[in-house]
Amino acid sequence: MNIALIADDTKKELMIQFCIAYCGIMNRHKLCSTGTTGKLISEATGLEIKRYLSSSQGGVQQISSLIACNEIDMLLFFRDPLTTKTHENREMDLLRLCDVHNIPVATNMATGEILIHGLERGDLDWRNIANPRR
């Protein structure tokens, strides 16, 4: 599976801890991320991560385009709902694309754990599910 990783600044450490905890599962999949998040995760875990631009430089749009082209199977996007962001419209566009293309999304640790455990069990393996996207 192709998994995209994004984390708001205040959630980067939480994403790192999540990736450390589930490194054994995540290393069996192709990972991509926005720039800073990917760098921090890779340094902490040794996971191989394709890094795009940082969020402020267009990384969210790059990942959005991958979703629109059916090249992402899951998005882990740890958001900070209490911080006002100038790029909130880009985030909403990203989430809208996930809805349009039926991409599972986790926006916090709890939903992230549900998705990662489902991935481990094979519940989210698109090769085993009749899916018109693939």
Side-chain angles (χ1 to χ4, degrees):
M1 278 197 126
N2 297 315
I3 302 171
L5 307 169
I6 303 173
D8 283 343
D9 288 342
T10 59
K11 300 295 182 174
K12 287 192 191 316
E13 184 59 34
L14 184 64
M15 178 65 84
I16 292 165
Q17 295 305 316
F18 180 88
C19 291
I20 289 170
Y22 295 107
C23 189
I25 297 168
M26 297 179 85
N27 71 2
R28 297 189 299 256
H29 302 277
K30 291 182 182 177
L31 306 176
C32 70
S33 181
T34 50
T36 306
T37 299
K39 178 179 182 280
L40 294 171
I41 293 168
S42 184
E43 288 173 352
T45 64
L47 288 168
E48 186 176 324
I49 301 173
K50 166 96 170 121
R51 290 174 40 210
Y52 292 97
L53 297 172
S54 68
S55 293
S56 63
Q57 295 178 339
V60 171
Q61 289 93 328
Q62 287 178 301
I63 291 176
S64 292
S65 72
L66 293 171
I67 290 168
C69 293
N70 290 321
E71 295 180 23
I72 298 295
D73 300 306
M74 178 189 299
L75 173 63
L76 302 177
F77 181 10
F78 288 4
R79 300 176 64 221
D80 181 355
L82 301 178
T83 302
T84 304
K85 295 169 257 249
T86 57
H87 55 275
E88 192 145 3
N89 288 340
R90 286 179 278 183
E91 290 181 6
M92 295 312 297
D93 290 341
L94 173 68
L95 296 173
R96 185 177 304 108
L97 276 172
C98 288
D99 288 341
V100 168
H101 293 277
N102 202 30
I103 303 298
V105 178
T107 59
N108 57 51
M109 177 76 86
T111 55
E113 288 184 330
I114 289 169
L115 287 182
I116 208 78
H117 287 296
L119 181 62
E120 182 179 31
R121 286 189 312 264
D123 297 345
L124 301 174
D125 189 347
W126 294 116
R127 294 171 297 250
N128 296 329
I129 300 171
N131 186 339
R133 293 187 328 110
R134 296 284 179 210

